[in-house]
């Protein structure tokens, strides 16, 4: 099941990480910007909100459907070709979305965006991990650079999106991606090393027909539960969820009984990868689920506008970005357990503090400081967890491992958002528009997010206690003590 390996060692791993960060930034920023503009789009096209919601749903469905095919695509065509092609497709979809003449055309072009966007993150992660392996280490530092956009862009997106929609035009939500994406293609073509494809590996078509629509149906059902007033009881939520679960179960059976599956799930027998995912998934559910709550609290309870609420939360992203850079460098020298576990506890403390003070008349300094503490904990958790999960994976297994991480985080984000939305909606129904009652509904919902983050700390406590081999003290390709058994030995 080997995928193509680099034909030449990359000259600048840091440059590769920065290129992937630039491409990821456009995707995450695009998603957060569009989410704050749905009502404006409904007015622009004179379309009901139920139709305009497909602007988001079409993108999510297309994105989710292509992620499982990432390992095969990297092997068949080469990671560099797939990555640059995915960015170009995303840029094309962005340009066409900015020129859309109707709600239906915008929905179609957003699906095109999703087809490109779904491949950018898993392939970009594979490129960074391969660059780190070729350079002899520094996975944590490189992953923290590459993943900077995942935490900073959600904080900047609502502010930037609100400004674009209010001051310029909704079309620039999409057109702004064109120059940035084009720059990422040009830089990627110059910096990312060429790799030879492995055309001999066959595509597992039955596996693709099971996992891609199954994963997409799960994400769609969770998204609908998030958007619908009936939550999981809505037919357009539970029907896709049942269908998706059945298809994914069918893929699981196939993955363990056939040779050359679309995604080799036997990699999960590798302890660092399994523990990393077990700690990452509940943390992502709690944190990204709470990202739905925070702007709504500022808007509903305190009466802030979209831009004001974005400015109130911007320190969260900034603290996360700064801490991530420090934690990423530290995890290259210190055992991941001693970074991830304190990071999770710090995140739970910040979120718990915010929940405790989230009253209608709460002091602004307390709200800002608690969110900054939350951000610092998140920055110390996300990329160190992914680094711990993927550091010891054999080079041939990197595409499958990065795809597993992306599937896990995408699904966890969708589950967390849907669950938090349902819990909050149930409590807001009895609030009657009273700010104090609504504040209590938010505080009670935050408790569940804190509980998920604390649950993630349990498997994090079992992460490796051994420090990784230092790049300047080990030959190229040397592995840390936790990696003495390569992931590929399970096959």
């Amino acid at each position: 099941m080997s995928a193509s390996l680099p034909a030449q060692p990359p000259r600048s791993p840091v440059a590769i990480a920065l290129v992937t960060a630039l491409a990821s930034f456009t995707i995450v920023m695009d998603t957060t910007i569009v989410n704050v503009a749905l009502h404006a789009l409904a007015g622009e096209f004179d379309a009901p909100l139920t139709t305009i919601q497909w602007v988001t749903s079409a993108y999510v469905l297309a994105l989710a459907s292509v992620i499982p095919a990432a390992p095969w695509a990297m092997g068949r065509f080469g990671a560099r070709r797939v990555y640059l092609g995915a960015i170009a497709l995303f840029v094309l979809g962005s340009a066409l979305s900015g020129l859309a003449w109707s709600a239906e055309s915008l929905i179609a072009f957003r699906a095109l965006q999703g087809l490109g966007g779904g491949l950018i993150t898993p392939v970009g992660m594979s490129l960074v991990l391969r660059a780190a392996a070729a350079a002899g280490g520094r996975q944590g530092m490189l992953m923290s650079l590459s993943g900077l956009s995942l935490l900073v862009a959600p904080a900047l997106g609502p502010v930037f999106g609100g400004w674009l929609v209010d001051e310029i035009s909704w079309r620039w939500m999409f057109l702004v991606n064109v120059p940035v994406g084009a720059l990422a293609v040009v830089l990627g073509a110059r910096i990312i090393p060429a790799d030879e494809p492995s055309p001999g590996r066959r595509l597992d078509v039955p596996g693709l027909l099971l996992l891609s629509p199954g994963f997409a149906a799960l994400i769609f059902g969770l998204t609908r539960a998030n958007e619908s007033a009936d939550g999981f009881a809505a037919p357009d939520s539970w029907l896709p969820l049942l269908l998706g679960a059945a298809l994914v179960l069918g893929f699981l059976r196939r993955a363990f009984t056939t040779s050359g599956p679309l995604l080799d799930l036997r990699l999960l027998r590798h302890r660092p990868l399994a523990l990393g995912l077990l700690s990452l998934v509940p943390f992502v559910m709690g944190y990204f689920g709470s990202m739905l709550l925070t702007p709504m609290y500022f808007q509903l309870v305190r009466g802030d506008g979209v831009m004001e609420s974005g400015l109130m939360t911007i320190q969260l992203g900034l603290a996360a970005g700064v801490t991530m850079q420090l934690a990423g460098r530290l995890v290259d020298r210190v055992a991941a357990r001693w970074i991830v576990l304190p990071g999770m506890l710090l995140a739970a403390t910040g979120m718990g503090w915010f929940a405790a003070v989230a009253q209608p008349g709460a002091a602004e300094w307390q709200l800002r400081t608690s969110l900054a503490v939350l951000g610092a904990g998140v920055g110390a958790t996300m990329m160190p967890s992914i680094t711990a999960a993927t550091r010891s994976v054999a080079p041939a297994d990197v595409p499958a491992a990065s795809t597993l991480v992306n599937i896990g985080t995408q699904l966890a984000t969708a589950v967390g958002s849907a669950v938090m939305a349902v819990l909050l909606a149930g409590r807001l129904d009895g609030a009657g528009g009273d700010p104090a009652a609504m504040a209590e509904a938010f505080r009670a919902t935050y408790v569940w997010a804190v509980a998920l983050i604390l649950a993630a700390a349990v498997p994090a406590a079992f992460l490796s206690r051994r420090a990784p081999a230092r790049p300047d003290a080990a030959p190229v390709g040397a592995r840390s003590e936790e990696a003495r058994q390569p992931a590929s030995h399970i096959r």
Side-chain angles (χ1 to χ4, degrees), residues 128-225:
V128 173
L129 291 173
R130 287 176 174 179
R138 298 193 296 168
Q139 288 96 333
M141 185 270 285
L142 295 173
M143 289 295 291
S144 67
L145 286 175
S146 178
L148 185 61
S149 60
L150 299 179
L151 298 184
V152 176
L156 299 178
V159 179
F160 189 47
W163 177 75
L164 285 175
V165 172
D166 292 341
E167 303 297 331
I168 305 181
S169 168
W170 66 268
R171 296 184 183 277
W172 279 97
M173 295 189 303
F174 307 107
L175 295 177
V176 73
N177 296 328
V178 176
V180 180
L183 178 62
V185 171
V186 172
L187 293 176
R190 292 177 62 88
I191 293 170
I192 299 172
D195 55 331
E196 293 299 324
S198 302
R201 185 190 172 196
R202 293 184 176 180
L203 175 63
D204 176 21
V205 176
L208 181 66
L209 294 177
L210 288 169
L211 184 57
S212 286
F215 183 47
L218 287 176
I219 296 295
F220 178 73
L222 291 166
T223 302
R224 281 307 195 200

Side-chain angles (χ1 to χ4, degrees), residues 55 82 85 95-96 100 138 150 179-180 233 244 272 285 295 303 341 349 375 387 391 414 444 454 461 467:
V55 171
V82 172
L96 293 173
R138 298 193 296 168
L150 299 179
V180 180
M285 288 175 61
L341 187 56
T349 300
T387 301
R391 190 199 307 274
L454 292 175

Side-chain angles (χ1 to χ4, degrees), residues 262-282:
L262 180 70
L263 199 58
D264 193 351
L265 299 183
R266 289 168 293 185
L267 281 172
L268 294 175
R269 297 175 187 169
H270 186 52
R271 189 172 185 270
L273 180 60
L275 278 176
L277 281 172
L278 281 175
S279 59
L280 193 62
V281 165

